[in-house]
Amino acid sequence: QRGLPTYETERRLTADLARRGILVERGIELVDLDQDESGVTARLQSTAGGSEEARFAYVVGCDGAHSTVRKRIVLHTTLIRNGQRINFR
């Protein structure tokens, strides 16, 4: 069994968000973020050259293993395999 191609997954998610009244903005890049106990401050840059800071309760990184979100958050994961504990950061 094969998964959905990325373009189809993106199309479906975008359509579902639109049905819920949520607009997906294209051409916006997350350049940095700061996380604290009450949320996330994101620094954004548009392909047109504008920039802004925005505050969110959550930020989701869906742009792969080299995601800016993944690089900037403190994430600890523990995997237990064959009785051995492996910690990732």
Side-chain angles (χ1 to χ4, degrees):
Q1 180 179 358
R2 295 178 60 180
L4 287 174
T6 301
Y7 66 85
E8 181 61 18
T9 301
E10 186 174 322
R11 185 193 68 75
R12 290 181 186 196
L13 290 172
T14 300
D16 186 61
L17 289 168
R19 281 192 294 278
R20 299 166 189 263
I22 300 169
L23 172 68
V24 175
E25 294 183 66
R26 308 276 183 205
I28 306 292
E29 176 186 6
L30 173 69
V31 292
D32 200 9
L33 62 82
D34 290 310
Q35 180 181 6
D36 60 34
E37 62 279 345
S38 63
V40 179
T41 300
R43 278 173 283 299
L44 309 168
Q45 176 131 9
S46 74
T47 54
S51 63
E52 67 178 294
E53 231 177 57
R55 185 86 178 147
F56 302 98
Y58 302 95
V59 174
V60 179
C62 301
D63 53 345
H66 302 288
S67 157
T68 301
V69 172
R70 287 180 190 233
K71 289 177 184 175
R72 302 301 295 160
I73 65 171
V74 177
L75 179 66
H76 300 278
T77 303
T78 300
L79 171 68
I80 299 176
R81 180 176 287 163
N82 299 328
Q84 300 257 331
R85 182 179 300 264
I86 304 168
N87 294 304
F88 298 91
R89 178 177 174 171

